[in-house]
Amino acid sequence: MNNLPHARPASEKPHPAGRRALKVTAAVCALGLIATATAIPTWTSVSGPAQSAPSPSSTIASLPAVAPCPSPAALTAAQLKERAQQKLDSAPTLLPASSPAGQALKAVSAGPSGCDAMPGRFAYVHLLQWATDTTIAGNNATTRIVLFEEQRWRANDASGRVIRSRYPTGQQPTDDSTYKPGELDGPIGPIAADPAALTAHIDATQPRFLGPTAVISGLVSLLGWRTPNQAARTAILTVLSASPGITYHGSVTDRAGRTGIGVSATSDGIRFLLILNPATGELLAYERTALASPPGSDRTGPLVDDYQLFLVHARAVSSGQSQPA
């Protein structure tokens, strides 16, 4: 399905997305975006504890409220179909003017998240993914967009579980797979909270000598299966800011309507984009776009061949838990 590899049963058809390669000052952007970052819209069925209002009699300056950890419910088949029909657009995200990420990201801090205090041996990731699926019949190639929903649980020993649904349904509309220790790909253990160790983790998935796009795709490979704590999110911002060739964009909106900051890199006509929460550094979305049509293709204009919308990164006590405890 994507560039986030994991073990699959031999009988399962692989996901389609990997088939084709496809001034505002930093300080003002960071502060403004922190104020405008939005919650996940109602279609994700977010629930969470109400935030208590600060006591009016308190003489101590209150810290900014930390939003509760979202708990989006899995979509029904009808909701998945409706959501797919809402966003079948293959046009890439419009980005504001760019600047080198090195200095701009230094003004962005990975603040606390409502999910940081959640206990559990499993990282829990819930996402939606729009991917291209190309079918070749004779001399004709037909490309369509498929929407996947995945709930992923991963323990530090590379065991876990994936529940996957798709629309259009195809021959296998839903799949529930369990993996034993060592069966899921990628480095053993949690995502590193030290920049040097995180760089080594990225190299294990996408060697950094391949350029700045490998840094972004390597991070997505890691974050697709792991929940970074605040220290790890700080390390992620540090690695991105220290990577030449990565550019920073101001206010960028993801497919859930949430406002974040954009970080991108382009190579061989393929643009890799991360959208990050400006208050916490959490990954909101990832987009891979072919900016030009391949030779001999009847397609015109850019095409998004992989878009991943991360609804939540949290933790879970068991591989069946998907709501905050």
Side-chain angles (χ1 to χ4, degrees):
M1 176 184 70
N2 50 47
N3 61 338
L4 311 181
H6 56 83
R8 299 185 185 280
S11 61
E12 183 180 346
K13 181 179 178 182
H15 284 216
R19 289 194 177 100
R20 183 167 46 188
L22 310 149
K23 217 169 192 202
V24 216
T25 66
V28 171
C29 286
L31 291 173
L33 288 170
I34 289 172
T36 59
T38 62
I40 300 175
T42 54
W43 58 262
T44 59
S45 304
V46 174
S47 62
Q51 297 295 301
S52 328
S55 169
S57 62
S58 173
T59 58
I60 301 175
S62 299
L63 294 174
V66 176
C69 188
S71 56
L75 301 178
T76 64
Q79 289 171 329
L80 189 65
K81 177 180 178 180
E82 179 185 5
R83 182 65 182 139
Q85 293 172 335
Q86 288 173 354
K87 266 295 179 186
L88 289 177
D89 187 6
S90 61
T93 299
L94 294 177
L95 299 178
S98 63
S99 61
Q103 197 60 37
L105 285 178
K106 291 178 181 177
V108 180
S109 62
S113 162
C115 300
D116 286 340
M118 291 187 63
R121 62 182 293 257
F122 290 92
Y124 172 69
V125 182
H126 187 180
L127 71 146
L128 297 178
Q129 179 182 29
W130 291 258
T132 55
D133 184 11
T134 300
T135 303
I136 299 176
N139 295 325
N140 297 321
T142 303
T143 298
R144 64 176 180 173
I145 297 175
V146 179
L147 174 60
F148 295 89
E149 179 182 38
E150 291 200 6
Q151 294 174 278
R152 300 171 176 173
W153 293 264
R154 180 190 174 101
N156 289 342
D157 61 1
S159 65
R161 179 187 180 194
V162 180
I163 299 177
R164 179 185 305 110
S165 301
R166 59 171 284 165
Y167 182 84
T169 56
Q171 295 181 349
Q172 192 175 28
T174 304
D175 176 68
D176 188 342
S177 299
T178 301
Y179 302 94
K180 297 178 182 178
E183 288 190 340
L184 289 172
D185 289 346
I188 298 295
I191 189 168
D194 171 76
L198 177 60
T199 297
H201 277 187
I202 294 172
D203 283 339
T205 59
Q206 293 286 328
R208 283 167 56 91
F209 69 78
L210 296 176
T213 57
V215 176
I216 291 181
S217 57
L219 280 172
V220 173
S221 293
L222 295 170
L223 293 173
W225 294 90
R226 295 165 178 81
T227 297
N229 59 21
Q230 187 174 2
R233 297 195 302 273
T234 299
I236 289 167
L237 291 174
T238 300
V239 169
L240 287 171
S241 65
S243 299
I246 291 182
T247 56
Y248 171 90
H249 309 272
S251 176
V252 180
T253 303
D254 70 11
R255 289 188 178 183
R258 300 171 298 185
T259 301
I261 55 172
V263 179
S264 73
T266 303
S267 177
D268 298 326
I270 310 296
R271 187 184 74 187
F272 297 75
L273 169 69
L274 301 179
I275 302 177
L276 305 175
N277 185 314
T280 64
E282 293 170 297
L283 178 60
L284 300 179
Y286 161 73
E287 178 183 274
R288 185 177 66 197
T289 303
L291 298 176
S293 303
S297 170
D298 59 357
R299 176 172 61 80
T300 59
L303 173 70
V304 174
D305 78 336
D306 187 11
Y307 191 104
Q308 299 174 40
L309 184 70
F310 292 90
L311 305 181
V312 65
H313 281 88
R315 299 207 66 81
V317 174
S318 70
S319 60
Q321 179 192 2
S322 60
Q323 306 291 318

